[in-house]
């Protein structure tokens, strides 16, 4: 038998950084080690977003590469806690290069020209984000809210993505479920299957409640119709009116959550088939993405040996019971199956959802936690998968 | 601000798609009388349209109201012309007119016979006609509002579809608000049939509102030559909404054969999905309507359609009026707490039986349909207890203590629990009963009592092992004879099969909600709060699960479905 496949999950606090070392074959049929790096980043603010460990993490990656390029770098989605690390490394003199990079289809230049409905939704989301940010500016916000605001800051994320697109890889492919990865797949033996996202990310955007800032005169249409501002109209009970206005204002939080979810749901989700093993990497895929993958006409959900728990173990990231039964095993814990969750309690509200992780994931497989107190900053855990058959 | 007592309002006939397909006028004028006042907005005592500018969220000035210039004249809102249906002023007035007409339908003397009271404190329901960009519309008790959204058409991306312009959608959402005022416990119900009842009543209200358009009815009858036993725009709900999202059929079709037990024929539904489940009840009642229509055509003596179209129109009018009475009058009779379709069936039969004791036909049709669609397993399940007994009704209506004492002294006889129960505010209603032989006005006292029971909660380890369920009873007393006429209850000790089925459905729905992340353990909900405003939560602080917000969650998580 040959060497195992190794999934190395780094402690980067509230973020992801995963290095996979895969024994693969070269063109002559000789075994070689190939490496995939998935994401690298954290939320960038507060305790869960400390940056100091990235140097150690990326030095370790570089050490593993021993002067070579990564075979493949995958950026799962456009959130800072997944995208930030490589730019940080570059700025600190640690150069990481890859032969190939897979980025979400929506990051390709011209994507939004091709997908008009996605463009409109993205525009609405960005407009909404700016209003949300303005609404909460100069306020004492809870840490989770600050983290969520920064994580979804499309301007900051854009810089990280530009760096990856322009500087990191020789070949950049913009991936979606129906994308032909053929020429962009450096592996000879390992088989990849892209489960998500859909090419048109508009499917992941839900509606936004209108919560525009009444005092923002720069908004389209403002001032043109001589608005009576937020005074209750004549004949309306003032208390009831302000109750309505306040509930609409709570829409800021709803909208921010929706923006966050849409970004998560646009994650690249892919499986790797290697010598009888199937490993599933999920980025931050949420409820909507899982539902899409499970649709009969898409039909991606199938049994795997390894699950990277999505979205740091959040309620929305943990798949439904039905899907988990199909991915892992119903009933008793299957010791041969593994899952890992990278998380940092106290950063994002309610994450990780410990009771759900226990109930839904730990009841089905061996779950490793990469979080505070379990894996030190910049260190890692290795999960090894011996091959079930020879090449 | 100028006031007036009556006004003429423009109203979209159904939706623009239907109007185009049928080649009929898009807009008709309706006349509304007896309002205390009309204000710019439109705003009246019970409804206020608040138009938030979608770009800025500022409140735009209301549509001006032009009062009548003569003593007997009509007031009008200065809405844009009917050539500009997408203009904010037309959207506002149309939404208002639809809400008002729907509300008034319930208030008619032969339905509730009283002014609708909303489920929240305060007299006004807000209508937000341009609530935001979303293919959705919902009633929200907390904000006391109907939120009507808009979305881009899939056919023409430069065109926005306003749900406020759909008579079906606005009537449907208004019906949710009306029903919430009548049966507020349904808002937090966990029994899928309770949630589905809301949907079915809302869809049937949209249907009833469609039958009130003479223009539409005439066009439809003409198209099918008086034969309504086929798919028509009357039986379809929200055609334009579905079509503009790329679907080739309406959101729901009342002309269906949906059943709870497809092994005996008919189309299956997902019993844990309230939206789908509602089609069983709405389909049953639409079938009852078709029987009423057939009977009415005989009654008015139709021959061929071409020879007497007006008689078909009259038959349609009669049938829709009769259906309206039997369906909506019964809502007052619903016991507190969670209710099943069968409970609603018993309420319909009780209200019909009391006033038309010698006319069994309608009740037989309801029994037929409920049996056919496996809502009940036998006709006797729809039997209603009638227990006469003399009481001082005026005092019982007025005094909480007298009402409580009445119930407390008869715990055993009424089958009340040994623990606490809640006596709800009594309701005195005056309803008109029309019949070809006689018309009469009946005064009733409706007396409801609710209490909680505990049942197993086998929906997953993260939730408590037991849950709270509200059940209850409705007693209906007649002022004419001072007697208790009807008792309806939801804790049927004699209908064990029905209870087991309902419990199974509740388990299934709650598991589905938990699996979808729509139902959260309270601890998780608290951690995320207030972000999870689209989810229901299980309050388990005393190791007994109590679920809140299911009705709202279903509307906010799934779009107008």
């Amino acid at each position: 038998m040959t060497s195992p496949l190794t999934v190395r999950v780094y402690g980067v606090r509230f973020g992801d950084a995963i290095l996979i070392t895969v024994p693969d074959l070269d063109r002559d049929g000789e075994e070689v080690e190939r490496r995939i790096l998935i994401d690298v980043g954290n939320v960038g603010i507060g305790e869960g977003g400390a940056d100091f460990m990235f140097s150690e993490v990326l030095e370790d990656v570089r050490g593993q590469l021993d002067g070579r390029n990564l075979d493949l770098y995958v950026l799962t989605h456009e959130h800072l806690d997944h995208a930030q690390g490589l730019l940080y490394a570059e700025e600190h003199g640690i150069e990481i290069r890859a032969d190939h990079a897979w980025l979400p289809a929506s990051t390709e230049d011209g994507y939004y020209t091709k997908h008009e409905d996605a463009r409109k939704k993205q525009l609405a989301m960005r407009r909404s984000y700016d209003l949300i940010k303005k609404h909460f500016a100069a306020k004492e916000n809870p840490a989770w809210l600050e983290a969520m605001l920064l994580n979804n800051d499309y301007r900051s994320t854009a810089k990280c993505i530009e760096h990856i697109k322009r500087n990191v890889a020789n070949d950049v492919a913009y991936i979606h479920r129906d994308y032909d990865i053929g020429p962009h797949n450096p592996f000879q033996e390992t088989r990849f299957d892209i489960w998500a996202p859909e090419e048109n990310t508009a499917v992941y955007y839900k509606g936004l409640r209108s919560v525009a800032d009444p005092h923002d005169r720069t908004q389209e249409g403002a001032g043109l119709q001589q608005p009576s501002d937020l005074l209750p109209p004549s004949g309306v009970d003032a208390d009831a009116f302000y109750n309505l206005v306040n509930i609409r204002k709570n829409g800021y939080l709803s909208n921010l959550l929706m923006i966050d979810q849409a970004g998560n749901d646009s994650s690249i989700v892919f499986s790797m088939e290697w010598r009888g093993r199937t490993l599933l990497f999920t980025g931050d895929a949420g409820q909507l993405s899982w539902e899409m993958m499970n649709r009969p006409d898409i039909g991606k959900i199938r049994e795997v040996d390894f699950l990277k728990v999505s979205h740091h173990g959040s309620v929305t990231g943990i798949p439904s019971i039905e899907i988990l039964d199909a991915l892992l095993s119903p009933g008793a814990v299957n010791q041969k199956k593994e899952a890992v969750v990278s998380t940092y309690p106290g950063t994002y509200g309610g994450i990780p959802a410990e009771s759900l992780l226990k109930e839904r994931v730990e009841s089905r497989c061996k779950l490793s936690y990469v979080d505070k107190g379990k894996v030190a900053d910049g260190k890692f855990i290795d999960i090894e998968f011996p091959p079930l058959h020879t090449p | 601000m100028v006031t007036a007592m009556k006004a003429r309002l423009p109203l979209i006939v159904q939706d623009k798609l239907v109007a185009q397909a049928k080649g009929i006028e898009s807009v008709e004028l309706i006349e509304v009388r007896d309002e205390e006042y009309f204000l710019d907005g439109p705003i009246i005592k019970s409804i206020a349209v608040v138009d938030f500018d979608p770009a800025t969220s500022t409140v735009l000035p209301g549509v001006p109201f032009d009062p009548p210039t003569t003593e007997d004249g009509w007031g009008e809102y200065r809405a844009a012309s009917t050539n500009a249906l997408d203009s904010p002023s037309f959207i506002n007035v149309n939404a208002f007119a639809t809400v008002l007409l729907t509300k008034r339908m319930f208030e008619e003397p032969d339905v509730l016979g009283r002014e609708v009271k909303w489920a929240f404190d305060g007299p006004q329901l807000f209508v937000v006609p341009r609530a935001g960009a979303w293919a959705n519309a919902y009633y929200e008790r907390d904000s006391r509002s109907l939120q009507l959204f808009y979305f881009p058409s899939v056919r023409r991306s430069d065109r926005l579809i306003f749900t406020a312009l759909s008579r079906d959608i606005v009537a449907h959402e208004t019906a949710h608000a009306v029903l919430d005022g009548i049966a507020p416990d349904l808002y937090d119900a966990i029994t899928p049939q309770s949630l589905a009842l809301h949907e079915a009543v809302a869809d049937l209200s949209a249907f009833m509102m469609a039958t009130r358009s003479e223009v539409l009815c005439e066009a439809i009858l003409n198209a099918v030559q008086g034969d309504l036993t086929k798919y028509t725009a009357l039986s379809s709900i929200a055609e334009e909404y579905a079509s503009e999202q790329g679907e080739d059929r309406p959101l729901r079709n009342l002309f269906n054969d949906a059943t709870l037990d497809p092994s005996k024929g008919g189309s299956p539904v997902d019993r844990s999905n309230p939206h789908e489940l509602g089609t069983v009840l709405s389909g049953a009642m639409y079938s009852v309507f078709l029987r009423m229509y057939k009977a009415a055509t005989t009654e008015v003596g139709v021959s061929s359609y071409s020879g007497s179209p007006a008689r078909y129109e009259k038959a349609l009018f009669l049938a829709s009026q009769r259906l309206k009475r039997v369906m909506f009058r019964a809502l007052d009779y619903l016991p507190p707490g969670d209710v099943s379709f069968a409970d609603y069936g018993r309420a319909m039969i009780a209200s019909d039986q009391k006033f038309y004791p010698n006319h069994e036909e309608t009740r037989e049709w309801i029994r037929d349909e409920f049996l056919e669609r496996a809502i009940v397993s036998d006709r006797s399940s729809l039997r209603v207890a009638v227990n006469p007994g003399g009481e001082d009704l005026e005092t019982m209506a007025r005094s909480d203590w007298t009402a409580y004492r009445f119930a407390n002294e008869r715990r055993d006889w009424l089958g009340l629990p040994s623990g606490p129960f809640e006596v709800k505010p009594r309701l005195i209603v005056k309803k008109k009963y029309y019949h070809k032989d006689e018309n009469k006005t009946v005064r009733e006292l409706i007396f409801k009592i609710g209490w909680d029971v505990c049942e197993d909660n086998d929906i997953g380890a993260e939730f408590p092992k037991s849950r709270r369920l509200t059940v209850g009873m409705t007693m209906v007393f007649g002022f004419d004879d001072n007697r208790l006429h009807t008792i309806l209850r939801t804790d049927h000790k004699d209908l064990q099969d029905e209870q087991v089925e309902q419990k199974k459905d509740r388990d299934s729905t709650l598991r589905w909600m938990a699996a979808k992340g729509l139902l959260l353990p309270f601890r998780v909900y608290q951690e995320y709060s207030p972000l999870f405003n689209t989810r229901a939560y299980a309050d388990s602080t005393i190791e007994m699960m109590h679920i809140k917000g299911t009705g709202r969650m279903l509307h906010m998580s799934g779009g107008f479905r």
Side-chain angles (χ1 to χ4, degrees), chain A residues 311-342:
Chain A
H311 197 218
H312 318 288
S314 78
V315 171
T316 53
I318 299 170
S320 68
I321 293 166
E322 176 196 354
I323 292 174
L324 280 170
D325 279 349
L327 290 175
L328 300 168
S329 47
V333 180
N334 186 336
Q335 293 293 353
K336 290 179 186 165
K337 291 181 187 289
E338 300 252 10
V340 68
V341 58
S342 170

Side-chain angles (χ1 to χ4, degrees), chain B residues 465-485:
Chain B
K465 292 292 167 212
S466 60
R467 67 177 172 240
R468 207 161 81 190
L469 174 73
T470 303
V471 297
M473 67 190 305
T474 299
M475 290 176 280
V476 183
F477 297 85
F479 277 96
D480 50 347
D481 57 5
N482 232 34
R483 283 174 178 275
L484 169 60
H485 288 264

Side-chain angles (χ1 to χ4, degrees), chain A residues 250-271:
Chain A
N250 283 342
Y252 281 113
L253 289 173
S254 300
N255 284 355
L256 182 58
L257 186 67
M258 230 173 260
I259 292 167
D260 193 49
Q261 282 177 344
N264 292 334
D265 283 324
S266 308
S267 288
I268 294 177
V269 178
F270 69 96
S271 63

